[in-house]
């Protein structure tokens, strides 16, 4: 059996007056049924654009999927018709966005927003859909669900809105949920509640999830596999414990070392990644992390290093992964 | 982490966080900031109060970094704004070098404000997009008449930019030409321009990407040592606070629930809210995360308009007993320098 979702050499570019922004430049990863896969990266690394490309939510112009395939249960989503993708959006694949404040429609009741996809996709009657909406709200831990379905988003707190978003994403029993920074806008105690809820629900319902985040801690607790992105490419991929304990790419290593850790003795100084992320309109053919990399050699300027196997399911896109980085343990 | 390592770790840490004098720079006593809610258009009348800060006491020593942590709406930012007197507190005293900031007239306030500066969270909205970087940094120098001479002022701006890790040529650029990390460095340079004694860092690194965040934290630490600065470091990010602060205060719904030395608070948190807060921080280690016990506190933060009676944390508290619903717990010193507002610990 193949993977549920296979992304193969995806390229999404934005054509702007300042030049072509290669936001996603040859990204491949797959997601198996029931699995939680993380995509980690900083702003501008292309992690959200990859996710939006899966659901074809890239505004065109200026954006366009210029190459690659996104196979979901055998169908190529990258180049299927608008009608076909509409069938999949919200039904087989649903999405949770970062901003619970802005991603719900303020003038529609919670009930309306929850029932809409069920009526559209599952052919439910309004009454059936409403009944299920109440059940879903209860499932995501909202008290008094019968009263809440008639309320509007402004009646709810940020954490509650995110719970409503989760309920919406589960409405049509999807096979895959894409969660784009689902807890970034929330307070830590609420973040812990929401992550725990998402973990339990996806496990109980057997839903696969792609969780996109910049927070390495969030990923450690919830992801089976981790993809690290930098400047539109995946630079390292593997199971969570390999990525966190035996990183083989200098960027992953630098990222892990630059955050102060609660579980370690305090350092005198943090160890930041020097310099700035690259301008995506001006990438040369070489490794895009090269200007900030402590391990860079002449060869890095010549071509972009391919993802090489490090053993197991662990891959790293660096020419020096096997030599100078091989002994580093975190 | 074993015991010996932990010991070594804490000694190491305190060595590297600059000299702290015994002199107190700022004392805050019984600070309250209530914002009225009014109804009626023509004749507004007050119907309730938002109790953003409701009786907070603390002091900051010269050269010290005090962390102020808590979730949104706990009053940490309002506390900072009161110290800057961007708000006029409802009650309480804020003594800066022995003088009550709340009682100063406008002329005296100008003098104090030269010594107190602020670095804001959002580097995108805290710089005027129509001003050149040089003018943003140079404005206080001009307004206060510190360096009236244009050429000398440019020289000083160049020095400040350089000290904050930016090329002096940035003085002629506009904010939109810079990245978030560079803008935050401009915000820091602007705060430094007046040679202040005390800087309030209000979520100063929260909006930055992790790789950039570490650069800015290091810069803030270097500047603290070099210019003998005192910081009030307001943040919701506990790992950053643990890294940079000498002492840490935890706030919840307008009240201070715990205050202790940094290592003491992180190693032995006593208030159930502090414990929950520390426990909720995810650690970037999958193996540790799998074995770590997660006690997740239920419920959400109540509204500061109508806070719960007694201890404000009691509806979410695992230790709450009947008396917590009636009596407001004293902020008491349970160990030297370790203050907790809870009767059950």
């Amino acid at each position: 059996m193949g993977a549920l979702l296979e992304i193969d050499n995806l390229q999404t570019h934005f054509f702007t007056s300042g030049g072509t922004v290669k936001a996603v430049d040859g990204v491949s990863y797959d997601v198996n049924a029931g699995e939680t896969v993380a995509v980690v990266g900083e702003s501008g690394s292309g992690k959200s654009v990859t996710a939006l490309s899966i659901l074809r939510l890239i505004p065109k112009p200026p954006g366009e999927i210029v190459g690659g395939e996104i196979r979901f249960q055998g169908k190529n989503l990258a180049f299927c018709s608008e009608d076909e993708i509409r069938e999949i959006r919200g039904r087989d694949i649903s999405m949770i966005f970062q901003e619970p404040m802005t991603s719900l429609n303020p003038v529609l009741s919670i009930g309306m927003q929850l029932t809409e996809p069920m009526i559209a996709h599952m052919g439910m009657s309004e009454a059936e859909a409403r009944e299920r909406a109440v059940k879903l709200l209860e499932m995501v831990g909202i008290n008094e669900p019968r009263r809440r379905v008639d309320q509007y988003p402004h009646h709810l707190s940020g954490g509650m809105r995110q719970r409503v978003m989760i309920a919406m994403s589960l409405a049509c029993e999807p096979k895959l949920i894409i969660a784009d920074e689902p807890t970034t806008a929330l307070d830590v105690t609420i973040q812990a509640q929401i992550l725990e809820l998402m973990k339990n629900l996806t496990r109980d319902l057997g839903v696969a999830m792609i969780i996109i985040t910049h927070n390495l801690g969030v990923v450690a607790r919830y992801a089976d596999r981790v993809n690290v992105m930098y400047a539109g490419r995946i630079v390292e991929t593997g199971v969570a414990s390999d990525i966190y304990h035996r990183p083989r790419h200098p960027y992953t290593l630098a990222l892990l070392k630059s955050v102060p850790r609660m579980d370690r003795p305090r350092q005198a100084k943090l160890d930041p990644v020097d310099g700035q992320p690259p301008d995506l309109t001006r990438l040369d053919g070489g490794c895009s992390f090269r200007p900030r990399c402590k391990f860079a050699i002449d060869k890095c300027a010549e071509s972009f290093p391919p993802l090489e196997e490090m053993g197991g399911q662990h891959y790293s896109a660096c020419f020096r992964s096997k030599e100078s980085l091989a002994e580093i343990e975190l | 982490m074993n015991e010996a390592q932990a010991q070594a770790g804490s000694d190491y840490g305190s060595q590297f966080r600059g000299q702290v004098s015994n002199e107190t720079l700022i004392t805050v006593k019984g600070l309250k900031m209530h914002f009225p809610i009014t109804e009626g258009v023509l004749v507004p009348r007050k119907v309730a109060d938002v109790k953003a800060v409701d009786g907070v006491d603390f002091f900051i020593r010269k050269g010290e970094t005090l962390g102020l942590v808590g979730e949104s709406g706990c009053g940490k930012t309002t506390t900072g704004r009161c110290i800057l007197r961007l708000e006029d507190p409802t009650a309480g005293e804020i003594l800066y070098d022995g003088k009550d900031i709340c009682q100063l007239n406008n002329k005296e306030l100008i003098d104090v404000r030269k010594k107190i500066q602020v670095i804001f969270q959002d580097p995108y909205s805290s710089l005027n997009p129509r001003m050149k970087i040089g003018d943003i940094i140079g404005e206080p120098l001009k307004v206060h008449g510190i360096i009236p001479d244009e050429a000398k002022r440019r020289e000083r701006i160049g020095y400040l930019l350089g000290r904050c890790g930016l090329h002096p040529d940035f003085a002629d650029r506009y904010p939109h030409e810079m990245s978030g990390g560079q803008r935050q460095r401009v915000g820091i340079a602007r705060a430094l321009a007046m040679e202040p004694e005390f800087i309030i860092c209000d979520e100063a690194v929260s909006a930055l990407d992790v790789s950039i965040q570490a650069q800015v934290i290091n810069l803030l630490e270097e500047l603290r040592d070099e210019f003998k600065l005192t910081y009030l470091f307001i943040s919701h990010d506990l790992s950053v606070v643990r890294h940079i602060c000498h002492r840490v205060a935890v706030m919840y719904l307008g009240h201070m629930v715990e205050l202790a030395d940094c290592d003491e608070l992180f190693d032995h948190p006593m208030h159930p809210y502090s414990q929950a807060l520390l426990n909720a921080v995810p650690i970037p280690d999958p193996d540790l995360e799998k074995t770590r016990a997660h006690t997740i506190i239920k419920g959400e933060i109540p509204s500061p308009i109508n806070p719960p009676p007694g201890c404000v944390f009691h509806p979410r508290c695992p230790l709450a007993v009947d008396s917590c619903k009636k009596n407001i717990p004293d902020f008491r010193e349970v160990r030297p320098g370790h203050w907790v507002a809870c009767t059950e610990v």
Side-chain angles (χ1 to χ4, degrees):
Chain A
M1 205 188 94
L4 179 69
L5 177 83
E6 291 170 275
I7 301 174
D8 189 13
N9 199 24
L10 179 73
Q11 288 164 303
T12 306
H13 295 178
F14 289 84
F15 300 94
T16 68
S17 55
T20 303
V21 179
K22 295 178 178 173
V24 175
D25 197 20
V27 162
S28 309
Y29 64 85
D30 47 46
V31 182
N32 298 316
E35 182 185 43
T36 299
V37 172
V39 181
V40 190
E42 298 181 278
S43 14
S45 63
K47 55 192 195 303
S48 293
V49 175
T50 311
L52 292 171
S53 302
I54 298 172
L55 284 176
R56 291 258 298 277
L57 293 172
I58 299 292
K60 182 185 170 180
E64 197 179 343
I65 298 175
V66 295
E69 282 188 17
I70 300 167
R71 284 185 300 274
F72 178 73
Q73 297 183 314
K75 182 181 276 187
N76 187 358
L77 302 185
F79 299 103
C80 69
S81 73
E82 195 57 35
D83 285 343
E84 285 175 297
I85 192 83
R86 269 186 76 100
E87 272 297 298
I88 285 168
R89 262 185 220 147
R91 183 185 188 170
D92 292 322
I93 305 179
S94 60
M95 189 146 182
I96 300 171
F97 294 95
Q98 170 173 3
E99 285 282 330
M101 300 295 161
T102 53
S103 42
L104 290 170
N105 188 333
V107 297
L108 295 180
S109 70
I110 301 298
M112 275 284 274
Q113 300 187 53
L114 264 168
T115 51
E116 202 182 8
M118 294 189 271
I119 295 166
H121 286 302
M122 297 170 83
M124 282 187 177
S125 71
E126 238 171 84
E128 283 170 337
R130 195 183 151 83
E131 228 11 72
R132 181 160 160 80
V134 172
K135 277 212 188 84
L136 284 165
L137 287 179
E138 202 178 349
M139 197 158 84
V140 295
I142 286 181
N143 58 356
E144 301 176 77
R146 270 186 204 283
R147 191 166 65 87
R148 297 287 185 193
V149 282
D150 296 319
Q151 289 191 329
Y152 288 83
H154 71 266
H155 290 121
L156 307 178
S157 69
M160 299 248 274
R161 286 183 218 196
Q162 203 58 309
R163 285 173 193 269
V164 170
M165 285 295 291
I166 293 171
M168 277 171 76
S169 74
L170 292 169
C172 295
E173 297 174 352
K175 299 190 174 69
L176 174 67
I177 296 176
I178 302 171
D180 188 358
E181 304 269 10
T183 59
T184 307
L186 305 174
D187 281 317
V188 268
T189 58
I190 308 298
Q191 165 176 292
Q193 291 173 1
I194 296 289
L195 286 170
E196 208 61 24
L197 174 73
M198 285 177 31
K199 188 175 92 173
N200 293 339
L201 287 174
T202 48
R203 190 186 55 209
D204 297 348
L205 304 172
V207 187
M209 184 156 73
I210 299 176
I211 181 162
I212 297 163
T213 179
H214 68 278
N215 187 327
L216 293 156
V218 165
V219 174
R221 197 187 289 186
Y222 299 99
D224 302 312
R225 286 191 297 136
V226 179
N227 297 298
V228 182
M229 283 191 75
Y230 187 78
R233 289 173 189 251
I234 288 178
V235 293
E236 187 162 7
T237 175
V239 295
S241 61
D242 278 340
I243 298 289
Y244 283 90
H245 295 299
R246 289 168 293 279
R248 286 293 173 262
H249 194 281
Y251 176 63
T252 317
L253 182 71
L255 212 52
L256 285 166
K257 284 176 80 171
S258 68
V259 287
R261 303 254 313 235
M262 300 264 284
D263 59 323
R264 300 271 166 89
R266 200 175 21 230
Q267 304 147 271
K269 273 243 162 186
L270 293 178
D271 204 352
V273 194
D274 293 330
Q276 305 281 333
D279 180 345
L280 294 176
T281 57
R282 294 204 185 88
L283 295 179
D284 53 9
C287 172
S288 43
F289 187 60
R290 182 181 84 244
R292 308 174 76 184
C293 183
K294 286 176 185 154
F295 300 91
I297 50 174
D298 289 348
K299 194 181 174 191
C300 303
E302 288 160 18
S303 64
F304 196 92
L307 278 169
E308 257 190 281
E309 188 165 357
M310 296 292 126
Q313 290 182 339
H314 190 179
Y315 293 83
S316 167
C318 176
F319 293 123
R320 307 194 67 190
S321 287
K322 281 188 174 159
E323 33 144 347
S324 46
L325 284 148
E327 300 307 318
I328 295 167
E329 292 245 348
L330 279 178
Chain B
M1 187 167 75
N2 61 35
E3 290 262 305
Q5 252 181 323
Q7 197 59 47
S10 57
D11 288 347
Y12 195 52
S14 35
Q15 266 176 20
F16 279 91
R17 274 171 297 168
Q19 285 291 311
V20 179
S21 92
N22 288 323
E23 258 176 284
T24 307
L25 185 67
I26 285 196
T27 312
V28 173
K29 284 185 200 159
L31 180 70
K32 285 188 185 183
M33 184 68 230
H34 295 181
F35 296 98
I37 303 170
T38 55
E39 256 178 27
V41 182
L42 291 175
V43 191
R45 62 200 158 81
K46 199 174 95 168
V47 289
D49 272 321
V50 176
K51 293 172 182 155
V53 178
D54 203 18
V56 161
D57 303 88
F58 63 91
F59 63 89
I60 310 175
R61 298 185 190 100
K62 279 188 182 160
E64 185 178 48
T65 299
L66 178 74
L68 201 53
V69 302
E71 299 179 280
S72 20
C74 71
K76 55 190 194 299
T77 293
T78 307
T79 305
R81 289 177 63 91
C82 287
I83 295 174
L84 289 161
R85 248 203 63 196
L86 293 173
E87 311 287 355
D88 271 317
T90 314
E93 289 182 348
I94 300 166
L95 303 175
Y96 186 87
D97 258 344
K99 258 191 229 157
D100 189 352
I101 293 180
C102 310
Q103 305 299 327
L104 298 179
N105 63 33
N106 282 348
K107 209 172 151 227
E108 293 166 316
L109 199 57
I110 288 172
D111 281 335
V112 172
R113 279 195 174 143
K114 287 181 199 165
K115 298 180 200 160
I116 308 180
Q117 291 291 321
V118 60
I119 301 166
F120 294 101
Q121 168 170 12
D122 186 356
Y124 289 87
S125 60
S126 57
L127 302 178
N128 186 338
R130 288 162 179 262
M131 282 170 80
K132 285 183 181 168
I133 299 302
D135 296 334
I136 290 174
I137 298 171
E139 196 177 29
L141 297 170
K142 197 168 155 188
V143 170
H144 287 291
I146 311 273
I147 310 177
D149 180 65
E150 172 97 40
K152 279 195 183 139
R153 204 162 57 228
R154 268 199 80 85
E155 201 177 300
R156 170 91 178 136
I157 292 164
Y159 163 76
L160 287 164
L161 283 169
R163 188 61 203 84
C164 293
L166 296 171
H167 196 276
D169 288 352
F170 274 97
D172 293 318
R173 296 206 195 166
Y174 286 94
H176 74 264
E177 297 172 68
M178 312 176 87
S179 70
Q182 289 171 333
R183 286 179 205 216
Q184 201 58 313
R185 287 174 190 271
V186 172
I188 296 171
R190 174 175 61 183
L192 282 178
M194 297 302 295
E195 299 184 7
E197 296 170 344
F198 178 56
I199 298 182
I200 297 177
C201 306
D202 190 357
E203 302 276 12
V205 297
S206 308
L208 305 175
D209 268 321
V210 269
S211 71
I212 305 299
Q213 191 180 52
Q215 295 175 2
V216 175
I217 292 170
N218 279 352
L219 175 65
L220 287 172
E221 286 188 304
E222 282 163 31
L223 295 172
R224 175 178 65 194
D225 300 344
E226 186 175 330
F227 298 105
K228 310 263 178 294
L229 296 170
T230 305
Y231 289 148
L232 176 65
F233 196 87
I234 300 170
S235 180
H236 69 277
D237 188 330
L238 293 157
S239 14
V240 170
V241 164
R242 175 176 176 256
H243 176 80
I244 201 170
C245 295
H246 298 97
R247 285 191 305 144
V248 179
V250 183
M251 284 185 75
Y252 183 78
L253 210 62
H255 293 260
M256 201 165 268
V257 297
E258 190 161 1
L259 172 68
D261 279 351
C262 187
D263 293 322
E264 168 80 4
L265 187 95
F266 280 89
D267 295 340
H268 309 285
M270 295 180 84
H271 196 281
Y273 178 66
S274 316
Q275 290 173 350
L277 207 57
L278 289 181
N279 193 271
V281 179
I283 290 171
D285 183 334
D287 301 340
L288 203 74
E289 279 295 344
K290 277 186 192 111
T291 51
R292 199 159 80 113
H294 292 119
T295 47
I296 288 169
I297 50 167
K298 291 186 205 80
E300 306 204 6
I301 303 167
S303 156
I305 299 169
N306 191 9
C311 171
V312 285
F313 187 58
H314 85 258
R316 304 175 77 190
C317 182
L319 304 179
V321 292
D322 275 350
S323 68
C324 299
K325 293 175 191 162
K326 282 176 245 137
N327 309 327
I328 298 172
D330 287 335
F331 197 50
R332 61 198 170 94
E333 194 169 13
V334 283
R335 281 185 217 165
H338 193 154
W339 299 71
V340 183
C342 181
T343 51
E344 297 304 302
V345 297

